[in-house]
Structure formats: structure tokens, C-alpha cells
Amino acid sequence: NVLSMTDILSLYDSITLGEMSGIRLMNRTDTKFVTTKQMLRKLLLLAKDDYCTQEIDGERIAPYYTVYFDTPDNAMYCRHETGHANRQKLRIRSYAKSGQSFLEVKTKNNHGRTHKKRVTMPTFNPQEPQHDLMFRPQDDCFKDYEEFLANNLRYDPTILTPKVENHFNRITLVNKQKTERLTIDFDLAFDNIRNGQHMEMGSIVIIELKRDGRQPSPILKHLMLLGIKPMGFSKYVIGYALTDDTLRRNRIKPRLRKIAKLMAQ
């Protein structure tokens, strides 16, 4: 009798969004792990005494929507795929439950640290996303975000277009010491905006450990016990590569093979 994700999460103490806001970790180190839903159930049972789970309006699993932008020659994708440590992404991230959307610039530096800057997008509707959204100088949309983009983005925003979007469900855990956050994403589905390709990732689960500096982490011993190893996984890069055969993928081929293997389990 397999416990559902909801059953297992009901064993956890909860933490509110308000309490979570104290744990910003805006200057943080991230480590990602890729596994399956079957392994995730085991992990969640092992970790239940060390972590609280975020609860919003009685729900412990939150649906997310994201759309990623890139240049006409996919410069952001290419920088990531060719292994540049210093790179950026531009996306709109929506929290489907609250209806809140943010325009976000994610910058990774040579030291492996991720900085995220964001601004709210009150007019964006994730239920009916605009696939032709552009930051054209003549549009009000551009005026609203011009300063934010000028201050944070290294690319010319006026040439960027939406490339790929995703939907997924997320569980957020916080350790009892409040020194780290763990996001667990599953039920991933990608849609390529340019060619209409749709891809669902089945049982794949992406776990991301976000912590300030080098604090000891209770989850690491459980991950080791279950044989879940660190693995880079950019939702943008993997989602784009899986829905467009024309993109170069030399460096991420081994990763795509591992993911295919996990999906086949």
C-alpha cells in the first residue's frame, strides 16, 4: 500500500509563507539532485523529523508556471550548454495558487553562487500566458520593466522572445534550524513556444538544496543512503533541449541519457 505524496507530507510540521520569508537565502549555494517519485517517497519519510513543509491555504503541494526568454540565437541556452559558469536567465515565474507573477533575472557567477533579482508582474496571467510577449520600447510593458532590466540583465531585452514554458508541482521544505530550504519539483511538463512540441517528464523529480554558505545539512545523509547523487539540471536547458532537436547538446548528452534512464524506470 503506497502512501501518496499528500499522506507523507501530512506527517510533517508545517511552516507558513510568512515564517518562510525570514529565510531569504538570496545569496546562496545550490545543489541539485535528480531522482524518481518512488525514491522521493522514501526520502520524505526519512526526513520528516528534520524538516517542516511550507503550507499555503491548507495546501502543501504548490503548482508553478514558468516561461523562459532568450535571444534569436539562443545565447542564454548556448552559454549554459557550453559550460560557462558565468551566465544569466530571464523568466516569468507564476505561483498558480496565489496568481502572483514575477519577472526574474537569475545570475550565476564564477564562484557557483546564484543571485536572483525579481519584480512583480501584476498584469501577467499564467492561465492565459501571452506567447508573443516582448519588451519593445514602444510598449507600456517595456516602460514598466525598463529600469529593472537595465540594472540586472546583460542582454538587450528588446530582442528577447519567449522560448519554452513549463508547469510543475513543488514541495518546499525548511530544516528545523532554518538554515536551508529544499525545493522538490515533480510532474514537470514542457511546451516549446516556437515549434509546439510538448514533453512530460513522468516520474522525474528535481530536488534543490539551497543554503547559505556551508551549513551542515540533515538531508545529505538521507540522499547518500538512497544513492541519490548530485546532478546539474536546468529546467530551461533540459526542457528546451528535449523539445527542440535543432539545438546543440554535446555537453548535456550524458545528462539527457541519465534522465531518459530514470524516466524508463
Side-chain angles (χ1 to χ4, degrees), residues 29 175 177 179-180 209 211-218 220:
T29 55
N175 68 336
Q177 289 72 40
T179 56
E180 69 178 43
L209 172 60
R211 52 182 171 157
D212 265 332
R214 281 283 173 244
Q215 295 288 345
S217 167
L220 289 174

Side-chain angles (χ1 to χ4, degrees), residues 217-233:
S217 167
I219 201 77
L220 289 174
K221 64 176 186 288
H222 303 315
L223 288 162
M224 251 169 73
L225 183 73
L226 295 172
I228 301 170
K229 297 181 173 67
M231 175 171 144
F233 190 111

Side-chain angles (χ1 to χ4, degrees), residues 142 161 180 234 253 259:
F142 183 70
T161 56
E180 69 178 43
S234 155
K253 262 201 184 118
I259 291 162

Side-chain angles (χ1 to χ4, degrees), residues 86-98:
N86 207 332
R87 56 182 186 251
Q88 282 196 315
K89 285 198 196 80
L90 180 69
R91 69 186 186 192
I92 297 169
R93 160 79 34 106
S94 298
Y95 302 86
K97 271 282 189 296
S98 68

Side-chain angles (χ1 to χ4, degrees), residues 55-241:
E55 186 175 304
I56 302 169
D57 299 331
E59 300 284 341
R60 296 181 171 200
I61 297 174
Y64 278 60
Y65 167 85
T66 322
V67 59
Y68 294 91
F69 292 78
D70 212 330
T71 64
D73 61 352
N74 302 309
M76 296 187 208
Y77 171 90
C78 292
R79 263 193 93 73
H80 199 131
E81 198 282 330
T82 50
H84 283 279
N86 207 332
R87 56 182 186 251
Q88 282 196 315
K89 285 198 196 80
L90 180 69
R91 69 186 186 192
I92 297 169
R93 160 79 34 106
S94 298
Y95 302 86
K97 271 282 189 296
S98 68
Q100 260 194 317
S101 298
F102 296 89
L103 181 65
E104 299 184 340
V105 175
K106 268 184 98 170
T107 305
K108 195 160 193 169
N109 68 18
N110 290 330
H111 309 293
R113 285 198 169 268
T114 306
H115 294 266
K116 190 168 77 176
K117 298 282 185 205
R118 66 185 197 174
V119 61
T120 56
M121 280 195 103
T123 55
F124 185 80
N125 178 8
Q127 308 305 325
E128 293 171 14
Q130 295 163 258
H131 289 157
D132 58 350
L133 184 64
M134 282 185 76
F135 300 99
R136 285 179 289 242
Q138 64 270 32
D139 294 354
D140 287 345
C141 178
F142 183 70
K143 291 184 191 73
D144 291 344
Y145 305 108
E146 186 176 11
E147 193 181 332
F148 171 76
L149 292 167
N151 290 338
N152 297 295
L153 190 69
R154 300 181 196 136
Y155 296 86
D156 172 4
T158 64
I159 62 167
L160 302 179
T161 56
K163 300 287 185 174
V164 70
E165 62 183 6
N166 68 34
H167 292 85
F168 59 90
N169 285 319
R170 171 170 285 186
I171 295 164
T172 302
L173 303 182
V174 180
N175 68 336
K176 298 273 172 95
Q177 289 72 40
K178 297 194 170 59
T179 56
E180 69 178 43
R181 239 186 12 238
L182 208 61
T183 58
I184 301 165
D185 298 341
F186 55 97
D187 296 339
L188 268 116
F190 294 96
D191 287 283
N192 189 305
I193 289 162
R194 291 161 64 215
N195 64 21
Q197 281 271 2
H198 177 75
M199 174 76 183
E200 291 184 21
M201 297 206 72
S203 66
I204 292 289
V205 173
I206 301 147
I207 299 167
E208 189 168 7
L209 172 60
K210 308 172 188 202
R211 52 182 171 157
D212 265 332
R214 281 283 173 244
Q215 295 288 345
S217 167
I219 201 77
L220 289 174
K221 64 176 186 288
H222 303 315
L223 288 162
M224 251 169 73
L225 183 73
L226 295 172
I228 301 170
K229 297 181 173 67
M231 175 171 144
F233 190 111
S234 155
K235 289 191 200 70
Y236 173 52
V237 171
I238 299 290
Y240 203 5

Side-chain angles (χ1 to χ4, degrees), residues 38-51:
Q38 187 189 354
M39 291 306 262
L40 174 60
R41 289 191 184 94
K42 294 180 182 176
L43 182 71
L44 287 172
L45 285 168
L46 287 172
K48 67 185 192 311
D49 298 328
D50 298 316
Y51 290 84

Side-chain angles (χ1 to χ4, degrees), residues 231 249-260:
M231 175 171 144
R249 54 186 62 200
N250 304 2
R251 272 192 80 261
I252 59 168
K253 262 201 184 118
R255 208 167 301 167
L256 293 172
R257 276 199 291 271
K258 276 185 197 164
I259 291 162

